[in-house]
């Protein structure tokens, strides 16, 4: 092999392209690519941008419904909610950047997801942040946790979009590799929908927003294609982390929405992963056109910059608009009024080629078919392997391995309580004054405004984010289906019926066959649940290579589900139970269906018994869907004074959380989940599809009959009242848990701030 070929090999390999991918590029171009072209293919064919390991699996998800206006493949999914109003929703990950620079990694994750929303023509109205970090007693994990919370707060509060939902999970599996998933929702007139396409030949490409710099070169398209190890030099990776400016983003939002309102833009695309390379190639490819780009016209923050740096920089707060020449002057005027920089950097052509030039009509630095960057990235059917010990692991019973007696139940319960309210307090969740039910409840509920008039409608928009790595470690398919069911039940608890979901699939190294098996199984479980619930998947994100020192994270699919509340005249119950109100378990099928329910995947098994194996409880998707429909209808009709789904920590944790929210004691006799089951199984097992409700005695008979008619299980557990939380099996006379309410509330409310360094604000 010649010396020149060796150098060539070094270049494409250094950029993350395999020999086979390099060979494919040569075939597509019918020549050897130059360095700029290689850099462009490297970022566009990266895992983050191309989904080359997951595309063929994602195709199995249900994406169609009469109300879906835009499904997967665009900047965001869009659904029609009636009366001329559409809702855009999107979720993304910024995991790897946040492990290196927690503040900026999380902050720019917020900025990027907001641009995905207003790129569709929607005004962002809400953010949600499902977060997962390592153990909080580990100094680095604690530093990462505080940094990402601060980054989301600093950017979201400054840009003026409320953060109204999310999760905060701490677990050993995320040590060194946190998960920072960010979702956003926006509203718009349905007729203002705009797509990221360049369809009109002769239109001009206008770059708007911040200057282009070296921060973020390669960005997530590079960082998201490799794991972490103890020898990694964060300083070397730090320049790949973007730096955000929320005030620039705010101006950009207003400028873009004004020009979209005026009908001045034919297509628009944010500059996220792969920067200008992605924005130019995708708009051209989607529109069936080409584009000539003048790289010298791109305004720079740091000069000089090489063409490959300009084309792959992921500097934040930038948008690319496709504008008819007749409208350019007005677009420039709007940008000037909002103090947003705007520059014509290219024009749309009819030959399907993306050309990078050194001036408007100067020398061609790169010339590739736009579709080869966007549509013809490789798609791998990577090997899958079911773990050899999978069946043996499912045979283990965490309860049988625990040697403690039932007296430990109260201690275990207190140890598993943690209210994430401290995290939510860092975010402004009342911006726009839309929030009816705020963060900390099962789901968030916003008043839905008409974006054309700004007036409130009578309807509400429910939003929830959910994930459970423990369930998905035990069984990726069933565990993911359980996560989707939990989302639907969370929405039901605020009276909303599900409309759509977007997903963020966080998995380990796709070259590991067991990881690909997990991913494939998880997608099938999501499909199963979505079909049963009638909920389409309208978009998502796949984050792979989440590993540290060769150890993959537990599979962590996260979903953001949105739903519609038809009439807010009846405000959802939150914590209105009174002494003497009946405590009811909905979704329970009665004694005849009870058997020994497994504890596998439960919070108790992972955190208290130290066993991460075992089988998951069975899952009846049709029964869970019926329960969700009944609960949503009951909330809207004022049937419940308090409502809470049963998930992490089982029925005991759910009861304790209801006790804290109502600041009221209760006495509950729970089903034993097996004739000889130990207390831990009855209290902490996590079968999906159950909801706790507080019911006024005057409404009990009517509510019971309605549940029966809906085919939903009903079991009376006891009553609210008193100053103690008492939980026991209905086959035993004594209480398994008997705690003072104030002790429970103190533990619940103080655990999070204490773990994060004693912060009490």
């Amino acid at each position: 092999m010649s010396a020149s070929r060796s150098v060539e090999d070094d270049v494409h390999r250094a950029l993350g392209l395999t020999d086979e991918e390099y060979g494919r590029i040569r075939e597509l171009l019918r020549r050897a690519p130059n360095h700029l072209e290689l850099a462009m293919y490297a970022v566009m064919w990266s895992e983050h941008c191309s989904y080359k390991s997951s595309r063929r699996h994602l195709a199995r998800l249900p994406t169609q419904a009469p109300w879906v206006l835009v499904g997967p493949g665009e900047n965001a999914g869009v659904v029609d909610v009636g009366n001329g109003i559409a809702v855009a929703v999107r979720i993304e990950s910024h995991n790897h950047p946040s492990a290196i620079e927690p503040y900026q990694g999380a902050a720019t994750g917020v900025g990027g997801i907001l641009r995905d929303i207003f790129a569709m023509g929607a005004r962002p109205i809400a953010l949600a942040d499902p977060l997962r970090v390592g153990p909080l007693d580990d100094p680095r994990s604690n530093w990462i946790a505080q940094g990402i919370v601060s980054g989301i707060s600093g950017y979201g509060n400054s840009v003026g979009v409320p953060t109204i939902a999310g999760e905060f999970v701490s677990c050993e599996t995320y040590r060194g590799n946190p998960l920072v998933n960010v979702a956003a929702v926006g509203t718009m007139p349905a007729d203002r929908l705009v797509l990221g396409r360049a369809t009109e030949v002769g239109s001009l490409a206008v770059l708007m927003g911040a200057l282009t710099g070296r921060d973020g070169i390669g960005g997530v398209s590079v960082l998201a294609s490799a794991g972490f190890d103890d020898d990694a030099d964060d300083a070397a990776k730090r320049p790949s982390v973007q730096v955000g400016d929320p005030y620039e983003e705010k101006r950009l939002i207003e400028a873009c929405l004004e020009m979209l309102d005026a009908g001045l833009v034919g297509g628009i695309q944010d500059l996220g992963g792969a920067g200008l390379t992605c924005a130019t190639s995708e708009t051209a490819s989607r529109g069936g056109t080409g584009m000539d780009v003048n790289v010298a016209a791109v305004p720079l923050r740091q000069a000089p910059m090489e063409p490959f740096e300009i084309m792959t920089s992921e500097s934040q707060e930038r948008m690319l608009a496709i504008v008819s020449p007749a409208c350019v002057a007005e677009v420039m005027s709007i940008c000037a009024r909002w103090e947003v920089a705007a520059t014509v950097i290219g024009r749309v052509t009819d030959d399907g080629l993306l050309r990078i030039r050194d001036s408007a009509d100067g020398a061609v630095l790169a010339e590739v078919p736009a579709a080869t960057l966007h549509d013809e990235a490789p798609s791998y059917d990577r090997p899958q392997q079911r773990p050899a010990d999978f069946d043996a692991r499912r045979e283990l019973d965490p309860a049988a391995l625990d040697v403690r007696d039932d007296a430990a139940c109260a201690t275990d319960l207190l140890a598993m309580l943690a209210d994430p309210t401290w995290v939510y307090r860092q975010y402004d969740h009342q911006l726009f004054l839309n929030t009816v039910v705020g963060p900390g409840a099962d789901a968030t509920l916003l008043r839905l405004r008409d974006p054309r008039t700004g007036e409130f409608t009578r309807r509400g928009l429910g939003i929830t984010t959910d994930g459970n790595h423990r369930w998905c470690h035990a069984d990726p398919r069933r565990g993911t289906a359980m996560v989707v069911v939990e989302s639907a039940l969370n929405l039901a608890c605020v009276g909303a019926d599900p409309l759509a979901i977007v997903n963020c699939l966080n998995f380990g190294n796709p070259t590991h066959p067991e990881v690909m098996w997990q991913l494939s199984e998880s997608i099938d479980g999501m499909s199963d649940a979505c079909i049963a619930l009638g909920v389409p998947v309208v978009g998502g994100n796949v984050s792979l290579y989440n590993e540290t020192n060769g150890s993959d994270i537990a599979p962590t699919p996260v979903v953001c589900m949105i739903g519609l509340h038809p009439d807010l005249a009846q405000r959802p119950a939150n914590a209105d139970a009174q002494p003497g109100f009946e405590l009811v378990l909905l979704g329970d099928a009665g004694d005849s269906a009870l058997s020994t329910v497994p504890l596998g995947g439960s919070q108790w098994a992972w955190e208290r018994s130290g066993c991460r194996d075992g089988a998951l409880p069975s899952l009846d998707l049709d029964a869970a869907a019926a329960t969700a429909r009944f609960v949503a209808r009951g909330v809207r009709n004022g049937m419940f004074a308090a409502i809470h789904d049963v998930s992490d920590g089982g029925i005991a944790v759910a009861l304790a959380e209801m006790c804290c929210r109502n600041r009221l004691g209760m006495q509950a006799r729970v089903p034993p989940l097996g004739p000889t089951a130990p207390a831990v199984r009855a209290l902490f097992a996590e079968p999906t599809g159950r909801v706790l409700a507080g019911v006024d005695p005057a409404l009990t008979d009517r509510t019971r009959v309605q549940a029966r008619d809906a085919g939903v299980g009903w079991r009376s557990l006891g009553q609210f009242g008193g100053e103690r939380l008492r939980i026991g099996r209905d086959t035993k006379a004594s209480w398994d848990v008997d705690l003072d309410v104030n002790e429970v509330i103190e533990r619940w409310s103080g655990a999070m701030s204490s773990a994060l360094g004693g912060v009490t604000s």
Side-chain angles (χ1 to χ4, degrees):
M1 182 177 291
S2 67
S4 61
R5 182 56 192 272
S6 297
V7 172
E8 197 174 81
D9 287 345
D10 288 343
V11 170
H12 81 259
R13 288 172 183 160
L15 291 172
L17 292 164
T18 67
D19 291 347
E20 291 76 15
E21 290 168 347
Y22 177 74
R24 177 59 178 156
I25 293 168
R26 289 179 64 102
E27 290 177 6
L28 291 169
L29 298 181
R30 299 181 181 179
R31 60 175 171 80
N34 62 36
H35 185 271
L36 172 57
E37 292 165 339
L38 267 180
M40 293 164 63
Y41 278 105
V43 291
M44 288 301 293
W45 286 15
S46 69
E47 197 73 64
H48 179 83
C49 293
S50 72
Y51 295 168
K52 57 190 175 185
S53 296
S54 57
R55 283 206 314 274
R56 63 182 60 232
H57 301 288
L58 296 172
R60 301 197 297 271
L61 291 170
T63 60
Q64 301 294 319
W67 54 90
V68 175
L69 299 179
V70 179
E74 280 283 348
N75 289 295
V78 182
V79 295
D80 189 341
V81 297
N83 303 113
I85 303 172
V87 172
V89 59
R90 173 73 170 171
I91 192 168
E92 268 282 2
S93 62
H94 244 224
N95 303 338
H96 291 72
S98 300
I100 299 165
E101 285 278 9
Y103 185 97
Q104 290 296 350
T108 52
V110 172
I113 203 71
L114 292 176
R115 292 193 299 279
D116 286 330
I117 295 299
F118 69 82
M120 305 302 297
R123 175 174 292 280
I125 62 167
L127 290 159
D129 62 338
L131 308 177
R132 286 164 171 79
V133 299
L136 293 179
D137 58 2
D138 166 50
R140 181 174 176 84
S141 296
N142 199 300
W143 170 73
I144 288 173
Q146 296 194 48
I148 59 180
V149 170
S150 297
I152 290 167
S153 170
Y155 202 103
N157 292 357
S158 297
V159 81
V161 178
T163 302
I164 49 79
E167 299 174 283
F168 189 92
V169 176
S170 171
C171 182
E172 176 65 33
T173 192
Y174 307 115
R175 186 192 293 266
N177 198 130
L179 301 185
V180 178
N181 297 170
V182 184
V185 175
T187 58
M188 62 181 167
D191 58 6
R192 193 170 69 187
L193 175 65
V194 63
L195 302 177
R197 300 179 182 181
T199 56
E200 184 181 345
V201 174
S203 293
L204 301 179
V206 180
L207 179 62
M208 303 177 294
L211 303 180
T212 299
R214 289 194 175 93
D215 58 298
I217 288 180
V220 292
S221 55
V222 172
L223 291 175
S225 298
F228 295 102
D229 59 70
D230 289 339
D231 297 326
D233 183 359
D234 282 358
K237 294 182 179 181
R238 197 162 285 124
S240 292
V241 179
Q242 307 97 327
V243 177
D245 181 349
Y247 303 107
E248 180 77 45
E249 182 103 341
K250 175 61 176 174
R251 296 193 297 271
L252 192 58
I253 291 173
E254 300 304 330
C256 287
L257 292 180
E258 182 175 338
M259 61 183 71
L260 290 171
D261 273 336
L264 302 174
V265 173
I268 194 166
Q269 176 79 21
D270 83 299
L271 273 71
L276 265 174
T277 297
C278 180
T280 54
S281 66
E282 285 195 357
T283 52
S285 177
R286 289 173 183 154
T289 58
M291 191 176 296
D292 278 11
V293 177
N294 174 10
V295 74
V298 177
L300 303 179
R301 185 184 307 133
Q302 298 159 286
M305 287 176 63
E306 295 293 329
F308 83 88
E309 294 178 306
I310 296 170
M311 291 302 298
T312 63
S313 170
E314 295 176 14
S315 292
Q316 296 290 286
E317 291 87 37
R318 299 181 300 161
M319 301 289 286
L320 186 74
I322 308 302
V323 183
S324 170
C327 298
V328 167
E330 196 170 349
V331 165
M332 294 298 187
S333 175
I334 290 173
C335 287
R337 185 160 61 253
W338 286 103
E339 299 181 2
V340 170
T343 308
V344 174
I345 65 162
R347 66 179 183 273
V348 180
T349 64
D350 63 359
D351 57 12
L353 296 175
L354 177 61
R355 293 185 189 87
I356 312 303
R357 296 181 179 271
D358 65 1
S359 61
D361 295 304
V364 175
L365 305 178
E367 183 179 86
V368 303
T372 64
L373 291 167
H374 178 225
D375 294 326
E376 298 196 36
S379 176
Y380 294 130
D381 187 9
R382 296 194 185 275
Q384 300 178 40
Q385 180 178 320
R386 187 173 185 262
D389 62 349
F390 185 67
D391 290 331
R393 282 170 33 203
R394 289 202 295 185
E395 292 297 320
L396 294 175
D397 181 4
L401 300 176
D402 188 65
V403 298
R404 296 169 300 164
D405 59 27
D406 291 344
C409 286
T411 302
D412 288 347
L413 174 59
L414 289 174
M416 289 191 287
L417 291 178
D419 176 20
T421 297
W422 177 85
V423 174
Y424 302 144
R425 284 196 191 121
Q426 312 312 303
Y427 313 138
D428 190 336
H429 59 269
Q430 289 291 352
L431 285 163
F432 308 144
L433 300 179
N434 294 336
T435 308
V436 177
V437 178
D442 292 276
T444 297
L445 188 65
L446 305 179
R447 291 188 290 181
L448 184 63
R449 291 178 186 259
D450 188 325
R452 295 159 296 194
T453 65
E455 299 295 322
F456 286 118
T457 70
R458 293 174 64 90
R459 296 180 294 160
L461 187 67
I463 303 169
T464 182
T465 61
D466 295 284
N468 192 305
H469 62 285
R470 299 184 301 272
W471 294 347
C472 297
H473 171 80
D475 185 332
R477 182 166 185 158
R478 186 180 298 175
T480 304
M482 289 167 64
V483 167
V484 176
V485 166
E486 183 188 354
S487 282
L489 290 173
N490 282 336
L491 287 180
C493 288
V494 296
D497 296 313
L499 277 175
I501 71 169
V502 290
N503 59 57
C504 198
L505 305 178
N506 306 276
F507 287 79
N509 189 325
T511 66
H512 299 164
E514 289 188 5
V515 169
M516 284 307 303
W517 175 81
Q518 292 170 345
L519 177 62
S520 178
E521 288 285 291
S522 178
I523 287 170
D524 287 338
M526 185 173 295
S527 180
D528 294 341
C530 287
I531 290 170
L533 293 164
V535 182
V537 180
V538 297
N541 172 71
V542 180
S543 174
L544 301 177
Y545 294 97
N546 291 290
E547 59 174 341
T548 303
N549 295 326
S551 178
D552 298 303
I553 64 164
T556 312
V558 171
V559 301
C560 174
M561 184 179 288
I562 60 172
L564 196 63
H565 189 301
D567 191 345
L568 290 176
Q570 177 69 51
R571 188 182 185 278
N574 185 19
D576 302 322
Q578 302 297 317
F581 277 29
E582 190 164 359
L583 179 63
V584 174
L585 179 64
L586 300 169
D588 178 69
D591 288 333
S592 62
L594 289 178
S595 60
T596 300
V597 174
L599 272 162
S602 67
Q603 183 181 1
W604 179 85
W606 275 55
E607 296 181 6
R608 304 307 296 167
S609 81
C611 177
R612 298 189 175 189
D613 296 313
L616 290 181
S618 61
L619 174 62
D620 186 332
L621 287 171
D622 292 335
T627 299
R629 290 191 295 268
F630 174 74
V631 169
R633 186 170 66 249
V635 168
R636 296 194 292 265
N637 292 336
M639 292 162 55
F640 310 122
I643 197 84
H644 187 29
D645 83 305
V646 180
S647 56
D648 291 358
I651 198 168
V653 168
L655 288 166
E657 289 171 344
M658 286 190 85
C659 168
C660 293
R661 292 176 184 177
N662 287 270
R663 307 190 78 82
L664 185 64
M666 59 177 67
Q667 300 81 46
R669 291 290 183 185
V670 302
L673 301 181
T676 60
V680 292
R681 195 182 309 283
L683 270 58
F684 302 124
E686 299 176 7
T688 304
R690 302 181 298 167
V691 175
L692 291 169
V695 183
D696 187 325
L699 301 176
T700 298
D701 290 341
R702 186 175 73 185
T703 305
R704 183 189 297 110
V705 170
Q706 291 181 2
R708 182 198 63 200
D709 292 345
V712 172
W714 167 292
R715 176 187 286 267
S716 179
L717 301 184
Q719 287 187 330
F720 287 86
E723 298 179 353
R724 300 193 72 79
L725 170 63
R726 290 178 169 140
I727 309 172
R729 290 158 288 175
D730 59 13
T731 56
K732 300 288 184 180
S734 60
W735 299 107
D736 296 305
V737 171
D738 188 352
L739 294 167
D740 183 273
V741 168
N742 291 326
E743 181 184 4
V744 178
I745 293 174
E746 182 178 1
R747 164 63 196 183
W748 177 71
S749 61
M752 186 65 68
S753 62
S754 176
L756 284 166
V759 183
T760 57
S761 63

